[in-house]
Amino acid sequence: MVFPPSKLRAALLVCLALTIASFQPSPAADATTPSANSDELAQYDAVIQPADREHWSYRPVQSPAVPMVRDVAWPQNPLDNFILAKLEAKAWKPAAAVDRRVWLRRIYLDVIGLPPTLEEQDRFENDPSPTAFVKVVDDLLSRPGYGERWGRHWLDLVRFAETNGYERDAIKPQAWRYRDYVIRSLNDDKPYDRFILEQLAGDELADATADSLIATGYYRLGPWDDEPADFPQDRADQLDDLVQTTSRVFLGITLACSRCHNHKFDPLTMHDYYRMAAVFDPLSRPQNGRTELDSPAGSRDERAAIAERDRKIAEINNQIAAIRGAVQGELPIESKGRILALEAVIASLRVEAPDLPRGYFMVEASPKPPTTHLLLRGRAAAPGPVVGPGMPAVLVSRQPEFLPADQHTTRRRLTLAQWIATADNPLTARVIVNRVWQYHFGEGIVSSSSDFGRIGIPPSHPELLDWLAHWFTHEGQWSLKKLHRLILTSSTYRMSKQWNAEYGATDPENRDFWRFPYRRLEVEAIRDSMLVVSGKLSGKMYGESNYLSVPKEALDGHSDPGQIWKPFDEDEDSRRTVYAFIKRSMVVPMLEVLDLCDTTRSEEKRKTTSVATQALTLFNGDFVNRQSRHLADRLLREAGDDKSKQIETAYRLALCRKPSVDELATWKQFLPDEADKLSAEAGAAGRKLASADAHRLAIARMCRIIFNLNEFVYPD
């Protein structure tokens, strides 16, 4: 039977929308697949049924009434009412409030990733005022360490690393500027909706700046193959990285599962996937063959001025080259004078339009978008119908009007960013408040914090999630610091970790938040805490990344061990770990062993493993032993020869508490015994070890053991 062209096209579209997962086109079909416009494809949004929009995360955010509770003295703010109401419904009570000292260490490590100093401990302990807790919260949120601590959480989400991965794993030029942008944005309390706009469309904003261009480096952070075997397929894979990361990070949906077929569980279609791919399709990567290029970062006027300057300089350089090429031998005086005059013009042009900072971001080279095809089975070699930009149909009652292109870009990304960064979007605020909750409590209200779909884990407290999301976008005005303050000043945050066998039998995972969770610090907080306790933490912020110390054995396996890593520099090694250079093909062993995130993809929650190599690293590793020696020197400086004072100071610095009577007695016996042992070992080896040196080494060994206590890496 021969079908008319219109019916043939319609039949093909039905096949694509409903049964594409099982469709395998032949080579001939690939070459003759008809295209269709967005209007024709839009009819297949009908596969989204009204019931699909009733899933809890797709419904509009509401502001539920704050529940009444019997224990009216417990809540510090409405957040507590939601937690307590659920516990009281089971006739349960929240765990008792934690000791002030424990709370202080908890909140310092949580907010800035560093323990409090002795002076800070004393100041809090001696402040009996009812505002003592709030003052600590406000002080910590105002510190630059807040951005350094919480910026790392965001970098996990956006798959930040400074090399491309794959065989050559080349360095991404200026990628560190994106990291600095994130830290500064958090410290400045940039509203989260603006934070979204800058990363997704910072170059398309009317008030674009160097910062907003650097923010769009977000798109370019993922792995990149600089010599793919199949260039069209590699391009499709790059777009997949952008679709996958953006949908998971900002919206908490697994849209990438619709690349080759309609989503198996969620009402997300291939059409939805390629709509978003079409938004990103105009982006291109500045490169010269296999070499990645950075670009000047500034406002449009600044970049236009630089472009015009460089055009004029190129013309002048051509004139200089012509003058030099017109004569054989030495240049005559007249020619030299002309060249000097032209070089002076170049110098003046550079003064009038100075160089801009360089940034690492993609660009839209033209306001005319490329044609985006739905790819059959996700294969670039099998283009299907043409697809225009749009949003997932289940999240909108009708597709938003895309902004018209201007003379520079398509403005598709700006339309997407504006749609995401609105209080009307059902997912955006829910996703970010849940992430903040997760980083404070170890578990989100929605445990699957990047998957709010049907196979994601439903919220434990749906009313609280909505109340927080609505509060964040309205009363909180998209301020992350205000959200932190709300959480940190709650009674929920002040609970102890006290176990209750009855509650644990029913709710072993603490989904009702009846106590504070027990969790290990991330490797950055562990390493930075050692640095601050030893007195060696550098205050240097921002700028190019530092290369942490790496054992020689870890470098020997590389083809060019002398070039792959910079020589050890202790001053640089003592900077906060967020500034460490992250190379995809060779992660610093200490970071890798202690569960640094997977930098090849968005990671919403780090794994917490328990393996022998962690104990070996923390006990025998060069970094820990070096900090133990530095701490020993600090104790001798600050506590003198008084063993009791040395031990007490070490405990207060590392654990924010004094040693118990038994601990003090044990260490007072250990130090002289260990010093004698060290002296005997030196003598047996034909060396003489002075008594003071033996005592210093004994103190260093005590410090190493304190660094290895569970209490050090598992706060309170």
Side-chain angles (χ1 to χ4, degrees):
M1 181 180 293
V2 178
F3 290 96
S6 60
K7 290 187 177 180
L8 178 63
R9 180 169 58 188
L12 176 61
L13 293 176
V14 170
C15 178
L16 286 171
L18 303 177
T19 61
I20 199 163
S22 62
F23 181 74
Q24 178 64 55
S26 67
D30 290 350
T32 60
T33 300
S35 62
N37 61 39
S38 296
D39 290 337
E40 290 173 316
L41 283 175
Q43 63 181 299
Y44 295 101
D45 288 342
V47 301
I48 305 300
Q49 300 298 313
D52 293 325
R53 294 189 169 92
E54 291 304 308
H55 180 64
W56 69 266
S57 68
Y58 304 152
R59 294 198 296 264
V61 173
Q62 304 293 330
S63 182
V66 176
M68 303 294 290
V69 294
R70 291 189 291 276
D71 184 1
V72 295
W74 192 77
Q76 294 292 315
N77 60 49
L79 176 163
D80 291 324
N81 287 63
F82 288 94
I83 296 295
L84 184 58
K86 188 168 184 179
L87 295 177
E88 288 184 340
K90 293 184 173 183
W92 289 6
K93 293 182 179 180
V98 75
D99 178 80
R100 283 170 61 102
R101 172 199 60 78
V102 176
W103 178 88
L104 187 71
R105 183 167 185 248
R106 172 190 295 175
I107 198 168
Y108 264 74
L109 289 169
D110 188 6
V111 178
I112 65 171
L114 304 171
T117 65
L118 300 183
E119 294 76 17
E120 289 163 343
Q121 294 175 44
D122 291 338
R123 183 165 61 246
F124 181 67
E125 285 295 320
N126 296 325
D127 185 356
S129 70
T131 60
F133 289 88
V134 175
K135 285 189 289 188
V136 170
V137 171
D138 290 339
D139 174 46
L140 291 176
L141 290 174
S142 70
R143 296 190 187 187
Y146 157 72
E148 293 173 316
R149 170 66 161 145
W150 282 78
R152 183 60 254 185
H153 294 322
W154 187 258
L155 297 179
D156 281 13
L157 288 169
V158 297
R159 79 267 189 247
F160 175 81
E162 294 182 72
T163 61
N164 291 326
Y166 294 95
E167 182 180 358
R168 272 169 288 277
D169 199 22
I171 292 175
K172 294 177 177 291
Q174 311 291 330
W176 55 268
R177 292 188 188 274
Y178 174 85
R179 175 204 61 213
D180 288 1
Y181 158 81
V182 170
I183 294 172
R184 285 195 177 97
S185 295
L186 295 183
N187 278 333
D188 293 343
D189 199 20
K190 182 172 291 179
Y192 184 65
D193 54 347
R194 176 70 185 193
F195 192 53
I196 294 171
L197 289 172
E198 289 182 347
Q199 291 179 83
L200 296 182
D203 57 323
E204 296 187 313
L205 296 171
D207 58 347
T209 63
D211 254 13
S212 68
L213 260 72
I214 288 168
T216 63
Y218 154 81
Y219 288 113
R220 210 172 167 187
L221 296 174
W224 178 61
D225 189 353
D226 59 12
E227 195 176 37
D230 184 335
F231 282 92
Q233 188 62 42
D234 178 69
R235 172 62 179 173
D237 292 343
Q238 290 183 47
L239 290 174
D240 182 69
D241 170 61
L242 303 186
V243 172
Q244 181 167 199
T245 305
T246 303
S247 64
R248 289 176 65 87
V249 170
F250 297 102
L251 297 172
I253 58 175
T254 55
L255 185 57
C257 294
S258 302
R259 180 182 184 180
C260 304
H261 49 73
N262 289 349
H263 202 292
K264 295 293 188 182
F265 305 101
D266 294 330
L268 301 170
T269 67
M270 286 185 74
H271 191 194
D272 291 328
Y273 175 93
Y274 287 98
R275 277 171 168 153
M276 190 172 287
V279 172
F280 304 134
D281 210 0
L283 287 168
S284 61
R285 181 184 297 270
Q287 63 189 91
N288 181 11
R290 296 190 321 204
T291 303
E292 291 217 272
L293 303 177
D294 54 19
S295 306
S299 68
R300 285 179 177 172
D301 289 343
E302 288 171 332
R303 285 178 285 150
I306 290 293
E308 179 63 15
R309 181 203 71 178
D310 290 345
R311 186 189 65 78
K312 291 178 179 178
I313 288 175
E315 290 179 354
I316 295 171
N317 281 329
N318 288 338
Q319 295 177 44
I320 292 173
I323 293 170
R324 293 185 185 279
V327 296
Q328 302 293 327
E330 187 176 343
L331 286 170
I333 293 177
E334 180 184 355
S335 297
K336 288 181 179 179
R338 290 173 62 194
I339 289 174
L340 288 173
L342 290 170
E343 288 176 340
V345 173
I346 291 176
S348 67
L349 288 171
R350 292 193 180 279
V351 170
E352 292 170 7
D355 287 335
L356 293 170
R358 309 291 293 183
Y360 179 76
F361 45 85
M362 292 189 184
V363 298
E364 286 198 24
S366 167
K368 183 178 180 180
T371 300
T372 303
H373 291 268
L374 183 148
L375 304 182
L376 306 180
R377 291 197 175 276
R379 296 192 297 120
V386 172
V387 180
M391 314 308 173
V394 73
L395 300 179
V396 293
S397 56
R398 63 188 298 269
Q399 286 294 327
E401 291 291 329
F402 270 70
L403 295 167
D406 61 18
Q407 65 216 44
H408 304 286
T409 71
T410 63
R411 298 207 298 174
R412 288 180 173 184
R413 287 175 291 111
L414 182 56
T415 305
L416 172 67
Q418 289 175 340
W419 174 74
I420 291 176
T422 175
D424 293 332
N425 189 300
L427 289 166
T428 308
R430 282 180 175 132
V431 168
I432 188 60
V433 300
N434 186 68
R435 293 197 192 283
V436 172
W437 183 279
Q438 172 192 294
Y439 291 127
H440 280 305
F441 292 101
E443 200 72 52
I445 296 171
V446 178
S447 295
S448 53
S449 53
S450 286
D451 185 0
F452 278 38
R454 288 173 174 168
I455 62 170
I457 300 174
S460 60
H461 297 71
E463 295 83 8
L464 172 58
L465 181 65
D466 264 27
W467 186 89
L468 285 171
H470 187 275
W471 181 94
F472 177 63
T473 56
H474 292 78
E475 290 92 327
Q477 299 177 312
W478 298 89
S479 166
L480 288 170
K481 284 191 177 182
K482 289 180 181 178
L483 178 61
H484 287 300
R485 191 179 191 274
L486 182 74
I487 293 172
L488 295 170
T489 56
S490 69
S491 289
T492 303
Y493 187 81
R494 209 179 293 184
M495 284 193 291
S496 71
K497 296 179 178 177
Q498 179 182 351
W499 179 256
N500 183 303
E502 178 189 349
Y503 302 172
T506 304
D507 180 22
E509 295 181 344
N510 191 33
R511 295 296 295 138
D512 289 332
F513 293 103
W514 48 270
R515 68 175 186 132
F516 200 81
Y518 192 68
R519 58 198 176 111
R520 193 184 74 195
L521 293 173
E522 303 93 333
V523 62
E524 292 89 348
I526 293 172
R527 191 176 179 280
D528 293 350
S529 293
M530 290 182 181
L531 284 167
V532 78
V533 169
S534 73
K536 285 296 181 179
L537 181 67
S538 167
K540 181 181 177 182
M541 294 182 69
Y542 307 123
E544 293 188 37
S545 299
N546 56 298
Y547 286 71
L548 302 185
S549 58
V550 171
K552 178 179 179 297
E553 296 77 9
L555 297 174
D556 286 344
H558 288 262
S559 59
D560 194 0
Q563 297 296 320
I564 194 176
W565 211 251
K566 289 185 179 180
F568 173 70
D569 180 322
E570 183 156 18
D571 288 340
E572 286 294 301
D573 195 68
S574 298
R575 295 179 67 193
R576 291 204 65 165
T577 313
V578 71
Y579 299 112
F581 182 79
I582 302 297
K583 185 174 180 64
R584 283 193 161 102
S585 65
M586 198 207 74
V587 179
V588 173
M590 181 178 183
L591 305 187
E592 185 171 34
V593 164
L594 288 167
D595 303 319
L596 183 73
C597 66
D598 178 357
T599 62
T600 63
R601 60 182 181 84
S602 173
E603 186 156 298
E604 66 272 13
K605 186 178 180 182
R606 290 191 185 179
K607 299 177 179 64
T608 302
T609 62
S610 182
V611 293
T613 46
Q614 293 169 349
L616 293 171
T617 297
L618 289 174
F619 200 75
N620 297 326
D622 178 67
F623 174 80
V624 178
N625 278 273
R626 190 166 65 252
Q627 301 314 313
S628 299
R629 293 191 294 271
H630 289 320
L631 177 54
D633 291 339
R634 178 180 184 179
L635 296 177
L636 288 168
R637 287 194 309 270
E638 297 182 9
D641 294 328
D642 186 331
K643 291 183 179 61
S644 295
K645 192 172 182 182
Q646 291 168 354
I647 297 164
E648 180 180 311
T649 303
Y651 264 67
R652 291 194 63 206
L653 287 170
L655 307 176
C656 302
R657 67 173 177 85
K658 293 181 180 180
S660 67
V661 173
D662 288 344
E663 287 170 329
L664 183 61
T666 299
W667 286 119
K668 288 180 72 173
Q669 182 63 47
F670 171 85
L671 290 176
D673 288 352
E674 190 70 9
D676 290 344
K677 178 182 175 183
L678 289 165
S679 296
E681 289 175 352
R687 295 181 289 104
K688 185 175 182 180
L689 186 64
S691 175
D693 292 335
H695 183 61
R696 173 182 174 273
L697 290 174
I699 295 175
R701 292 193 173 184
M702 176 188 74
C703 294
R704 180 177 62 169
I705 294 171
I706 290 174
F707 281 149
N708 276 267
L709 292 175
N710 270 356
E711 189 178 349
F712 187 78
V713 298
Y714 288 87
D716 69 281

